[in-house]
Amino acid sequence: MSNSALVKHTNISPYKTSPRNNTIQKVTIHHMAGNLSIESCGVVFQSSNSSANYGVGTDGRIGMYVEETDRSWASSSPSNDHQAVTIEVANSSSTDSNWPVSDTAYNATIDLTVDICWRNGISSLSWTGDSSGTLTIHKFFAATTCPGPYLEARMSAIASSVNSRLATCNSIYADV
């Protein structure tokens, strides 16, 4: 198991379980509830009794806070967190109750999710709208609005984009 080569900043949180007790089978997307940089998000995870494997800033840069071999403390569900790589995405506005994210952050989240799936043998990402899918969100496991209406409304599109790119990767490397 490896970590993403897309990472531009690392600040490992003490709030993790090492090692995770399950294989990676899911991706869980969250929002930061603010426009934090990947550096600021990493600082929060040093003292907040929570963490995520990765964070995506509004500028599209990616930070790592918990290695993929370890379970982050992200979704209020140890069972989910032991199976999922968790991603925090910065909001482009912290005053809009829709919790939007920039196009750059959105696209970087898709890039990161494709990378996670490809490296961990997740051949297809399924958005079912509940916790049974391989693409999940925080609100499935806790009384929260996370990841906010903006990202939640785009989960099906995220899964579709990821799957399209995974299919391309699979066809390119099928003959190798």
Side-chain angles (χ1 to χ4, degrees):
M1 185 179 318
S2 61
N3 299 309
S4 179
L6 300 173
V7 169
K8 302 298 183 199
H9 173 77
T10 301
N11 188 354
I12 300 299
S13 171
Y15 302 103
K16 61 185 179 179
T17 303
S18 182
R20 66 173 63 238
N21 70 11
N22 210 324
T23 58
I24 294 170
Q25 305 163 42
K26 299 181 176 206
V27 174
T28 302
I29 295 179
H30 303 260
H31 74 122
M32 290 183 191
N35 191 355
L36 281 76
S37 68
I38 57 174
E39 293 83 7
S40 297
C41 187
V43 170
V44 169
F45 289 145
Q46 293 300 310
S47 60
S48 68
N49 205 31
S50 64
S51 61
N53 295 100
Y54 296 103
V56 179
T58 299
D59 60 3
R61 292 182 314 127
I62 296 168
M64 182 175 65
Y65 315 111
V66 174
E67 293 189 32
E68 289 184 30
T69 55
D70 298 332
R71 170 206 157 209
S72 68
W73 296 0
S75 67
S76 307
S77 168
S79 176
N80 183 71
D81 289 344
H82 275 291
Q83 297 176 64
V85 173
T86 57
I87 304 170
E88 290 278 350
V89 184
N91 299 101
S92 56
S93 171
S94 55
T95 60
D96 182 336
S97 63
N98 202 32
W99 297 106
V101 302
S102 70
D103 289 345
T104 304
Y106 179 84
N107 291 328
T109 300
I110 291 172
D111 291 344
L112 177 59
T113 304
V114 169
D115 178 57
I116 291 164
C117 290
W118 179 254
R119 288 181 299 98
N120 288 286
I122 301 170
S123 60
S124 179
L125 203 57
S126 64
W127 170 252
T128 60
D130 62 28
S131 63
S132 69
T134 55
L135 178 60
T136 58
I137 56 177
H138 190 183
K139 75 182 261 181
F140 292 161
F141 309 101
T144 178
T145 60
C146 181
Y150 184 89
L151 279 173
E152 185 175 1
R154 288 161 176 76
M155 287 297 143
S156 181
I158 290 170
S160 180
S161 293
V162 168
N163 290 337
S164 176
R165 289 180 52 193
L166 288 171
T168 299
C169 291
N170 287 330
S171 79
I172 290 171
Y173 293 107
D175 298 326
V176 175

